[in-house]
Amino acid sequence: MLDKKKVFSGGPWCFDDNLLVISDYIGNVQSTNMKLDTCSFWVRVYNLPLSWMNAKTAEYLGNKLGVYEGFEQRGDLFAWGKFLRIRVKIHLESPLKRVMHLFIEGKVHKVLFQYERLPILCFYCGRIGHGDRDCELK
């Protein structure tokens, strides 16, 4: 049970730069009917004011990127350092967001997202699973 938890929490997992999507065993569902269209990633959020590096901001941004799962914190409910690190379950058919503009205390802040341990990514359409040369939108 400990190994299974480590595998699910330690991802995303890649083989030869391709994403390996795994799911928990569900006894009453056929394998052909299982949806393997989401994966959890750690996302670094840059350019946030220190007072906004908290649980509320992490949840808000995580839900804008996908489904919020948590954030890395030190101490109470705050994160400290150069970036806020959040865990997000992302739908693999959607393009990844790289930038978001937030209106914070009367000023517009351009926050940047950096995804950790990304597999093959198309920089043209922003989707995971193929490169620029294989993009259908090009």
Side-chain angles (χ1 to χ4, degrees), residues 8-111:
F8 280 108
S9 66
W13 299 100
C14 294
F15 179 76
D16 199 20
D17 283 335
N18 290 292
L19 185 63
L20 177 64
V21 182
I22 56 176
S23 175
D24 202 1
Y25 171 76
I26 305 170
N28 60 350
V29 176
Q30 291 179 324
S31 60
T32 54
N33 293 333
M34 292 182 76
K35 297 247 186 227
L36 298 174
D37 57 356
T38 59
C39 188
S40 296
F41 290 91
W42 281 105
V43 183
R44 295 179 183 186
V45 183
Y46 289 92
N47 294 343
L48 279 174
L50 280 177
S51 63
W52 280 68
M53 295 179 71
N54 56 42
K56 186 177 177 181
T57 305
E59 185 175 1
Y60 174 79
L61 292 174
N63 285 323
K64 289 290 185 184
L65 298 175
V67 178
Y68 173 74
E69 294 183 325
F71 83 109
E72 185 178 71
Q73 66 190 49
R74 296 188 186 123
D76 296 341
L77 294 177
F78 291 93
W80 300 101
K82 294 180 181 180
F83 55 85
L84 176 67
R85 190 169 183 244
I86 57 177
R87 184 81 168 170
V88 182
K89 184 175 281 194
I90 295 174
H91 193 275
L92 297 174
E93 294 293 319
S94 302
L96 298 179
K97 290 182 176 81
R98 293 184 246 179
V99 175
M100 185 181 292
H101 293 88
L102 296 177
F103 192 71
I104 301 173
E105 298 171 3
K107 293 171 67 177
V108 176
H109 290 263
K110 180 179 177 181
V111 296

